[in-house]
Amino acid sequence: MTLTLKVENTGPDPVSELSFTFPEHQAKNLALLVAVSTEGRGKNRGSATNLPIKVNQPDNSPPSLIWYHASLPKELAKGESLNIDALAVFTHTLRPFPEKITQAEAQLFLLQDSAHFTSPYKVKYQSLTVKLPSESVESYTKLENTKFSGSEIKYGPYENIPGFSYVPVIVHFPSNKPFAVAKELVREIEISHWGNVQVTEHYEVVHGGAQSTGEFSRLDFQARPHVRGASAFRNLIAMLPPRAHSIYYRDAIGNISTSNIYADSSKTLLEIEPRYPMFGGWKTSFTIGYGLPLRDYLFQSAGTRFLNFTFGSPMNDVLVENLTLKVVLPEGSKDISVSVPFPVKQSQETTFSHLDIAGRPTIVIEKANVIPEHNQYFQVHYKFSNLSLLTEPLMLIFGFFSLFVAGIIYMHADFTISKSSASYLAKQQWDEVLGTLQQLVDIINKCLVLHDKLEASLRELSRTGDVQACKAVRKSADGLLKDLSKDSKSLLAVLQSSPQAAHILPKVEELVVKERDLQEKIMLKHTTVIDSYEKKSAGRDIENRVASIQQKITSLKQEVDDLLEFVEDI
Ligand SMILES: *[C@@H]1O[C@H](CO)[C@@H](O)[C@H](O)[C@H]1NC(C)=O
Ligand SMILES: *[C@@H]1O[C@H](CO)[C@@H](O)[C@H](O)[C@H]1NC(C)=O
């Protein structure tokens, strides 16, 4: 809504403020209100002065009106007049009607407003022009002084209207303009003092027009997109700075290659095409990113640096319901201040990326209802020591240095298992156990050889009847077996004291016990047989006497053999 006013002070006192009033339902969607005062008209128009505006409800206000007060550049004395131009932008003001349409139907909107300028002041002379997007109109309120021509509906002129006058008018008209609304936009601007500004923008876009009902046919749409999908939009255009580079566009699935870039010396146009045409109520999320040369946006003055960057979305004709703007400054930035030409919510956080120690100071600016008119420049001032710039390279240099030193150490180091390490000690102890075990097995084998010798001496005895020779064999074997048994006892003691041998110890002990048992039984047999020979017993008697012993010997031999096999396999 553009307002062109000529105001005159008809009262006795000078005035310093001009008030605008809007009905509450309009005011709650007011995205922007600016007023400028200009000297002269037409060709003699002088320079414009932006008027500061503040919101303040006077006590005597009629209900459901919101007041905005613009401070005049100089007091208006009695009888003096002044030209004021104002621009008010409202969002969510056009209501789709019907609210739901099919793929083939056109989209229609309702505009509700007042034919009279709703002002706290008496209006001497006023007219209203409604400019439609096209020459067609479905219907409009016809008052006595109404004219429709081309794509404009003109109400008025009206003369001498009292203050707070409200005459409702409704205009119902078709519009198939893309109705793109970004429910959320997160813009991240990351400054690298190495020469780059990286911009990343995450969008959640919805078609904010009439809801699409019925089935969607892509075939119909592709055959006749202007009829079967007139209200849909297929692409969005982002106007990026001329020197944007490394541009990408992707959504949750990945890179979208159906985007186009048109660049000339004054701008870079990025045409992005979602994966499907956008009908009323349909949503899509995507991310675009691009790099910019730092020197175009970062400047220095009086010891501080400042970023001078555009505020809103680079997309044409997109309303941003919630904008979050993050400016990520280099690590080590200090004394940060922000200046935005309109009120915003501001906070600060810290962003971490690789190689950061303290994190990067990040300015977070939030604003609701952001329109293309908000695409103004804002500034972030901060102090930064060039020494901080060296932190990361120094870290890298140190990092690589450490890596190489580690490499050198590695090359020269002896990586055989350290003599003091636990695993080395464990291995050593186990080797000792195995050694001891081998000695023990050797001893048992020697014993078994002696057993065989004793048995052989008995067979010799039965052949020759030489008791003395047999006794001699027995005597020498006895002595040897005693020595071996002493040795085996001490070896067993070694094994019993080693924790590493605990799990094999029962079998080893059993082997030693069984061998001794076998030895005893063989001795017993030997004694019995010799005894019998000395008593000159008959061969059959001898056999009878030793039969039970022989049985035990046979089974013990088997057991000793089995155990020995087991122990040798360890
Ligand atoms: C993404 O698609 C664009 C075409 O729009 C192409 O130029 C670019 O190389 C693609 N990027 C990747 C990472 O695939
Ligand atoms: C920011 O940049 C714009 C465009 O280059 C320029 O018009 C404006 O004066 C700059 N603002 C400041 C504070 O430097």
Side-chain angles (χ1 to χ4, degrees):
M1 183 187 289
T2 54
L3 303 164
T4 311
L5 306 157
K6 184 180 180 185
V7 295
E8 185 187 1
N9 183 5
T10 54
D13 301 323
V15 287
S16 59
E17 263 186 1
L18 176 71
S19 302
F20 295 94
T21 51
F22 294 108
E24 212 169 11
H25 70 267
Q26 265 184 347
K28 77 172 196 283
N29 292 318
L30 181 66
L32 184 78
L33 176 63
V34 287
V36 294
S37 79
T38 46
E39 312 264 342
R41 278 267 168 210
K43 281 208 180 109
N44 305 324
R45 203 183 168 96
S47 64
T49 323
N50 230 324
L51 308 181
I53 294 176
K54 60 182 199 292
V55 188
N56 186 16
Q57 288 303 98
D59 295 335
N60 57 351
S61 161
S64 69
L65 276 185
I66 308 291
W67 294 63
Y68 299 85
H69 310 279
S71 310
L72 299 178
K74 60 178 201 298
E75 280 197 343
L76 209 56
K78 177 175 193 258
E80 275 183 351
S81 65
L82 185 69
N83 295 326
I84 306 267
D85 289 332
L87 171 71
V89 182
F90 301 94
T91 62
H92 299 101
T93 299
L94 300 179
R95 197 156 62 81
F97 188 82
E99 282 175 356
K100 292 182 179 174
I101 56 172
T102 64
Q103 182 181 353
E105 284 174 310
Q107 186 171 241
L108 295 155
F109 289 98
L110 285 180
L111 169 73
Q112 277 178 291
D113 211 321
S114 167
H116 287 179
F117 179 47
T118 308
S119 162
Y121 310 110
K122 246 190 277 169
V123 180
K124 269 195 185 156
Y125 183 90
Q126 181 242 318
S127 67
L128 165 72
T129 308
V130 179
K131 291 186 178 167
L132 299 172
S134 71
E135 296 198 351
S136 62
V137 66
E138 192 78 5
S139 69
Y140 58 96
T141 308
K142 296 182 184 73
L143 304 175
E144 52 185 292
N145 217 349
T146 307
K147 255 209 320 260
F148 177 69
S149 73
S151 60
E152 291 188 358
I153 304 169
K154 205 166 171 196
Y155 290 99
Y158 307 107
E159 284 178 48
N160 295 321
I161 312 169
F164 304 118
S165 176
Y166 190 89
V167 178
V169 290
I170 295 181
V171 182
H172 192 199
F173 62 95
S175 171
N176 288 321
K177 276 190 145 186
F179 232 78
V181 177
K183 289 271 166 199
E184 285 295 339
L185 165 58
V186 180
R187 290 188 91 197
E188 249 175 58
I189 298 163
E190 188 168 350
I191 297 174
S192 160
H193 280 166
W194 297 99
N196 194 47
V197 178
Q198 180 62 38
V199 185
T200 312
E201 301 178 349
H202 308 278
Y203 287 86
E204 246 174 69
V205 171
V206 65
H207 185 309
Q211 295 280 317
S212 181
T213 60
E215 241 164 81
F216 165 64
S217 157
R218 189 178 270 270
L219 205 64
D220 278 359
F221 177 75
Q222 273 165 353
R224 291 187 298 161
H226 296 294
V227 185
R228 299 283 172 162
S231 64
F233 61 88
R234 276 218 275 194
N235 56 13
L236 291 165
I237 309 276
M239 198 151 80
L240 308 181
R243 292 207 277 169
H245 62 85
S246 324
I247 301 168
Y248 66 85
Y249 161 47
R250 61 178 159 76
D251 65 5
I253 305 172
N255 190 30
I256 302 179
S257 51
T258 52
S259 49
N260 286 306
I261 295 171
Y262 312 93
D264 63 25
S265 60
S266 65
K267 63 190 176 306
T268 306
L269 289 186
L270 169 67
E271 179 192 10
I272 66 167
E273 204 172 296
R275 290 182 195 267
Y276 39 81
M278 296 285 290
F279 281 90
W282 292 19
K283 290 179 187 141
T284 182
S285 302
F286 57 87
T287 301
I288 63 173
Y290 45 96
L292 297 167
L294 184 71
R295 62 173 183 280
D296 293 358
Y297 301 94
L298 192 73
F299 308 94
Q300 290 206 27
S301 76
T304 69
R305 294 163 197 249
F306 73 96
L307 173 81
N308 184 26
F309 209 80
T310 50
F311 184 81
S313 160
M315 298 271 175
N316 287 348
D317 291 331
V318 173
L319 159 67
V320 182
E321 283 188 356
N322 292 296
L323 172 69
T324 308
L325 183 64
K326 295 187 178 185
V327 181
V328 184
L329 299 175
E331 197 174 26
S333 304
K334 295 190 303 267
D335 301 340
I336 303 161
S337 67
V338 182
S339 84
V340 186
F342 33 79
V344 291
K345 200 175 133 201
Q346 224 188 84
S347 57
Q348 201 170 331
E349 60 181 37
T350 308
T351 307
F352 284 93
S353 71
H354 41 270
L355 292 183
D356 286 348
I357 301 168
R360 305 177 183 213
T362 302
I363 303 295
V364 183
I365 299 170
E366 285 165 278
K367 178 159 176 58
N369 252 353
V370 178
I371 50 169
E373 281 80 357
H374 286 124
N375 253 358
Q376 300 173 28
Y377 284 88
F378 75 100
Q379 290 82 33
V380 178
H381 295 259
Y382 63 96
K383 285 206 173 107
F384 181 84
S385 147
N386 272 328
L387 275 182
S388 309
L389 202 55
L390 292 176
T391 316
E392 289 189 359
L394 283 178
M395 272 170 61
L396 278 178
I397 290 166
F398 182 73
F400 277 106
F401 178 75
S402 310
L403 193 68
F404 289 131
V405 168
I408 291 165
I409 291 172
Y410 179 82
M411 299 299 285
H412 288 80
D414 175 9
F415 274 90
T416 49
I417 295 169
S418 143
K419 299 226 160 78
S420 60
S421 82
S423 60
Y424 177 80
L425 286 178
K427 188 178 177 316
Q428 204 184 33
Q429 282 168 7
W430 181 240
D431 285 347
E432 273 168 19
V433 166
L434 288 180
T436 313
L437 209 54
Q438 191 53 52
Q439 287 178 35
L440 192 60
V441 167
D442 287 349
I443 287 172
I444 303 277
N445 278 325
K446 276 181 192 160
C447 292
L448 293 182
V449 170
L450 288 172
H451 297 171
D452 285 349
K453 266 195 184 148
L454 285 169
E455 301 248 42
S457 75
L458 289 180
R459 282 193 299 277
E460 193 69 11
L461 178 64
S462 73
R463 209 163 49 79
T464 61
D466 186 348
V467 175
Q468 289 316 312
C470 189
K471 274 191 170 168
V473 171
R474 157 80 184 253
K475 202 169 169 211
S476 79
D478 232 7
L480 287 171
L481 281 171
K482 280 217 175 72
D483 288 346
L484 288 173
S485 140
K486 232 188 270 164
D487 289 349
S488 84
K489 221 185 232 162
S490 66
L491 289 173
L492 195 61
V494 169
L495 289 178
Q496 279 161 341
S497 69
S498 164
Q500 296 259 346
H503 67 290
I504 54 163
L505 200 57
K507 290 273 186 196
V508 177
E509 281 173 337
E510 197 183 348
L511 174 62
V512 171
V513 169
K514 293 282 180 196
E515 189 279 327
R516 201 153 302 153
D517 216 359
L518 178 61
Q519 196 176 316
E520 257 166 39
K521 293 288 178 299
I522 287 173
M523 286 306 183
L524 182 58
K525 180 182 164 191
H526 207 269
T527 320
T528 312
V529 172
I530 288 181
D531 210 33
S532 306
Y533 266 89
E534 284 182 330
K535 287 179 181 160
K536 309 260 188 280
S537 303
R540 184 164 297 277
D541 283 349
I542 300 171
E543 268 176 42
N544 282 344
R545 281 182 68 184
V546 296
S548 67
I549 305 173
Q550 187 57 46
Q551 233 173 35
K552 285 216 178 89
I553 289 173
T554 312
S555 79
L556 277 171
K557 262 191 181 161
Q558 187 58 48
E559 282 179 72
V560 169
D561 276 351
D562 289 348
L563 284 166
L564 199 57
E565 203 175 320
F566 174 85
V567 171
E568 280 176 334
D569 280 350
I570 289 170

